[in-house]
Amino acid sequence: MTLSSTGFDKVRSLLRRRPSVVWRRFLALGLALLALPLTFWPDVGHPAVVASRDLPAGQSLSSGDVRLVSLAAPVSGSFSDVDAMVGKTLGSAAREGVPLTDFDLARASDDLASVAVRVADQGLAGVVRMGDRVDVVSPSAEVLAENASVRETRGQVVVLTLPRLNATRVAAMSLDHALAVTLR
């Protein structure tokens, strides 16, 4: 009776044996040589569209307003195509170098308007910045608008973006009186 061994039996027999020291060193050297190029492999990053300068709320984006950068980690809701951003309108102010996300874009809506308001407290007018959220209060302590977005500031005048219904009330009241704003 003869024992015939197949290729499978030979491989199984080799795997049962303990590898020699030379073989283990050769295997360790091969793995080290394989890992060496991977340590210098460039990270391709995650492309994201960022503002190329500080942008006010309500601005329609042009190709000069945005640029594409590579980030180490992905940003949820970010865009990876500059051309897709051209023509979109910002719903809130954006800082230079900060990735633009779907939350930064204005929703397509006809019910928003911008109105210039003369702020009663000149000191507060200097504190309010583009992108802040404010409430507008009349001299009789009536809240005219809540959560309005500051689009622009110029001295004692603040341009606010708010629902059209509130914008007409705020505009009518600001013709006769300087209004107070409260920061959120």
Side-chain angles (χ1 to χ4, degrees), residues 117-121 136-139 144 169-171 173-175 177-181:
V117 173
R118 189 168 27 98
V119 179
D121 183 0
V136 182
V137 183
S138 73
L144 300 173
R169 289 181 61 212
V170 169
M173 186 65 76
S174 69
L175 290 174
H177 307 286
L179 302 175
V181 294

Side-chain angles (χ1 to χ4, degrees), residues 27-164:
L27 184 61
L29 178 65
L31 289 173
L33 289 175
L34 181 65
L36 187 63
L38 294 177
T39 59
F40 298 108
W41 194 271
D43 182 18
V44 293
H46 302 275
V49 175
V50 300
S52 58
R53 59 184 175 84
D54 287 349
L55 300 170
Q59 174 149 350
S60 180
L61 297 174
S62 68
S63 59
D65 294 330
V66 293
R67 60 187 165 91
L68 191 65
V69 298
S70 181
L71 301 175
V75 175
S76 180
S78 65
F79 299 92
S80 59
D81 184 18
V82 172
D83 295 332
M85 297 296 290
V86 173
K88 304 275 186 191
T89 303
L90 285 177
S92 59
R95 286 275 187 212
E96 178 182 353
V98 175
L100 298 174
T101 65
D102 51 354
F103 287 122
D104 296 320
L105 299 180
R107 309 295 178 251
S109 175
D110 291 333
D111 64 338
L112 291 179
S114 294
V115 63
V117 173
R118 189 168 27 98
V119 179
D121 183 0
Q122 189 172 7
L124 182 62
V127 174
V128 176
R129 294 187 180 185
M130 179 176 61
D132 285 347
R133 295 288 186 168
V134 297
D135 295 337
V136 182
V137 183
S138 73
S140 63
E142 176 190 1
V143 176
L144 300 173
E146 293 180 346
N147 201 23
S149 175
V150 177
R151 183 173 177 174
E152 190 175 344
T153 61
R154 298 229 176 167
Q156 218 172 336
V157 176
V158 177
V159 179
L160 304 173
T161 301
L162 50 139
R164 189 172 299 282

